[in-house]
């Protein structure tokens, strides 16, 4: 065990080494100031100054390279490129390289010069300032309150209610000038976000070729990416409707189902769910046959198909909406209607009743 500074032995259980008469740690003070080379050697100071100037000049050269590359190393077919044939992928590669290199040099050497300037040439004095109470004196506080009261009295706010009322009205009306332009941004969406192209009796078709799907075509533990059969490129707002109507169907053993309502909305273990993740709208396109989980590749939200596609992992907050399906007289899978709730990311209060 080490002795205290005064040569005495420390008390049992005390780990601090300090003179007993002071009752604690002594003030170690500041270590001796280490002067930089440029502070004591004029030649070193000049070298540092020249180095900073050189780095600033290199930044200027980087800017010049950026400007030259922008006009002389271009990817357009009808513009010059000093290193490759214009309009080719190689020309684009050279353009990106030279423009990026010029900008990197310009920005890097400005930062490097500023850092070297601060570390070698700017003042390096160590200053100790005693800490003072932050709270002002009572006299200062009373004086501040008096200034505020005098200002209110001089303005006459208390004696001129007409001015106060009109001022409040002007400040309240001002935000209308900001809100008014919102009316020109187009019609309100109404309930368009609450419905998709799916309708009762509409057949489920394969996404890639548009052919309808029979229940007998869906093998156990398989997955199909589906669209409404009647949704074609001639449909008004085709891309928007296609984005909202995207769905997948999977087939599980009905004995594995944990949600009776979900099984009832399917057909012999064939279940249809929206393909749009309820987190930020990525396509839920990965299906684990052994666990019967559907996975969103963007943020790993995971949905349990056997339990009405409830969220079991990830940032999504609600299950995938399920499309109720049945089989028509020819054995094809058809929708019994639209999704019972809006698809995609949660918005407003769409699930406040759930």
């Amino acid at each position: 065990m080490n002795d205290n500074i005064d040569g005495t032995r420390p008390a049992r259980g005390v780990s601090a080494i300090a003179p007993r008469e002071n009752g604690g740690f002594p003030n170690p003070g500041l270590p001796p100031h280490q002067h930089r080379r440029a502070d004591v050697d004029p030649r070193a100071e000049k070298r540092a100054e020249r180095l900073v100037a050189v780095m600033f000049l290199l930044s200027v050269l980087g800017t010049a390279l950026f400007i030259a590359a922008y006009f002389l190393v271009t990817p357009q077919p009808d513009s010059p490129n000093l290193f490759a044939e214009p309009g080719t992928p190689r020309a684009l590669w050279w353009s990106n390289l030279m423009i990026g290199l010029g900008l990197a040099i310009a920005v890097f050497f400005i930062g490097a010069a500023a850092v070297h300037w601060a570390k070698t040439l700017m003042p390096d004095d160590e200053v100790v300032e005693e800490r003072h109470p932050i709270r002002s004196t009572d006299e200062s506080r009373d004086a501040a309150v008096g200034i505020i009261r005098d200002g209110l009295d001089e303005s006459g706010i208390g004696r001129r209610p007409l001015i106060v009322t009109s001022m409040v009205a002007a400040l309240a009306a001002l935000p209308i000038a900001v809100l008014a332009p919102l009316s020109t941004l187009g019609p309100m969406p109404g309930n368009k976000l609450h419905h998709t192209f799916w309708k009762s009796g509409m057949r489920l078709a394969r996404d890639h070729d548009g052919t309808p799907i029979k229940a007998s075509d869906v093998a156990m533990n398989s997955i199909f990416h589906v669209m409404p059969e009647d949704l074609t490129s001639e449909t008004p707002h085709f891309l928007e409707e296609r984005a909202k109507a995207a769905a997948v169907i999977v087939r599980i053993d009905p004995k594995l189902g944990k949600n009776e309502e979900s099984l009832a909305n399917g057909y012999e273990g064939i279940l249809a769910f929206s393909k749009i993740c309820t987190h930020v709208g990525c396509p839920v396109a990965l299906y684990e046959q052994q666990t019967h989980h559907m996975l969103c590749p963007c943020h790993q939200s995971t949905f349990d198909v056997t339990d009405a596609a409830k969220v079991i992992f990830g940032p999504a907050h609600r299950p995938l909406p399920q499309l109720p399906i049945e089989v028509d007289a020819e054995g094809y899978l058809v929708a019994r209607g639209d999704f019972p709730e809006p698809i995609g990311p949660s918005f407003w209060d769409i699930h406040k009743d759930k």
Side-chain angles (χ1 to χ4, degrees):
M1 180 181 295
N2 296 327
D3 292 340
N4 291 333
I5 294 177
D6 58 0
T8 60
R9 305 286 291 182
R12 184 176 180 82
V14 178
S15 59
I17 301 176
R20 291 184 177 179
E21 62 272 18
N22 293 339
F25 292 98
N27 183 0
L30 292 175
H33 180 65
Q34 298 291 332
H35 291 284
R36 300 169 302 185
R37 188 71 176 272
D39 295 334
V40 297
D41 186 353
R43 291 179 298 178
E45 181 182 6
K46 283 294 183 182
R47 284 197 301 269
E49 183 179 355
R50 288 194 293 269
L51 180 57
V52 171
V54 167
M55 286 192 284
F56 278 130
L57 292 177
L58 287 175
S59 175
V60 174
L61 293 178
T63 302
L65 175 61
F66 174 85
I67 297 174
Y70 188 83
F71 291 103
L72 301 178
V73 189
T74 59
Q76 289 81 7
D78 55 349
S79 300
N81 191 298
L82 301 179
F83 302 104
E85 181 181 351
T88 63
R90 194 67 179 172
L92 177 62
W93 185 88
W94 273 107
S95 175
N96 290 339
L97 175 64
M98 299 306 294
I99 289 177
L101 188 61
L103 185 60
I105 292 174
V107 174
F108 172 79
F109 279 107
I110 287 179
V115 171
H116 194 66
W117 185 3
K119 285 186 172 293
T120 59
L121 298 174
M122 289 188 178
D124 188 41
D125 300 327
E126 294 177 348
V127 179
V128 177
E129 183 179 359
E130 296 293 335
R131 179 179 295 179
H132 302 285
I134 298 177
R135 184 185 186 277
S136 301
T137 62
D138 292 337
E139 292 78 8
S140 299
R141 293 160 67 90
D142 293 338
V145 172
I147 292 173
I148 295 175
R149 288 176 177 172
D150 292 343
L152 292 176
D153 292 338
E154 292 172 359
S155 66
I157 289 179
R159 294 180 285 107
R160 296 181 174 86
L162 179 61
I163 292 179
V164 175
T165 303
S166 59
M167 179 183 67
V168 172
L171 295 177
L174 183 60
I176 298 178
V178 179
L179 298 176
L182 295 178
S183 61
T184 65
L185 297 180
M188 295 293 288
N191 63 351
K192 292 181 180 179
L193 300 177
H194 291 254
H195 300 285
T196 70
F197 194 77
W198 290 103
K199 297 178 180 62
S200 178
M202 192 171 290
R203 287 179 175 177
L204 280 66
R206 293 173 176 84
D207 187 7
H208 64 285
D209 60 9
T211 57
I213 304 172
K214 287 188 174 182
S216 57
D217 297 336
V218 185
M220 190 66 67
N221 297 326
S222 62
I223 181 172
F224 286 74
H225 299 259
V226 299
M227 286 286 177
E229 183 184 23
D230 298 338
L231 181 59
T232 66
S233 58
E234 304 300 325
T235 302
H237 308 291
F238 168 67
L239 291 179
E240 291 85 349
E241 296 294 349
R242 178 180 173 83
K244 294 192 297 182
V248 294
I249 59 174
V250 296
R251 187 165 198 164
I252 64 171
D253 186 347
K255 297 178 181 179
L256 300 176
K258 304 173 185 177
N259 189 296
E260 294 297 331
E261 181 180 359
S262 177
L263 291 174
N265 284 326
Y267 176 80
E268 296 183 354
I270 302 176
L271 308 175
F273 297 97
S274 170
K275 187 179 177 179
I276 310 304
C277 182
T278 54
H279 178 221
V280 292
C282 295
V284 183
L286 305 177
Y287 179 60
E288 299 175 348
Q289 293 181 336
Q290 302 300 320
T291 61
H292 307 292
H293 293 165
M294 293 181 64
L295 178 69
C296 176
C298 290
H299 304 99
Q300 287 71 56
S301 291
T302 307
F303 306 88
D304 187 357
V305 172
T306 64
D307 194 12
K310 291 183 179 179
V311 182
I312 60 174
F313 180 80
H317 286 279
R318 64 188 182 99
L320 296 173
Q322 183 174 359
L323 181 69
I325 59 174
E326 59 186 2
V327 172
D328 63 10
E330 299 179 45
Y332 289 100
L333 294 172
V334 298
R336 286 159 41 192
D338 198 359
F339 291 102
E341 59 179 317
I343 57 92
S346 300
F347 60 94
W348 300 327
D349 56 354
I350 60 176
H351 56 286
K352 67 177 182 179
D353 298 328
K354 291 188 177 296

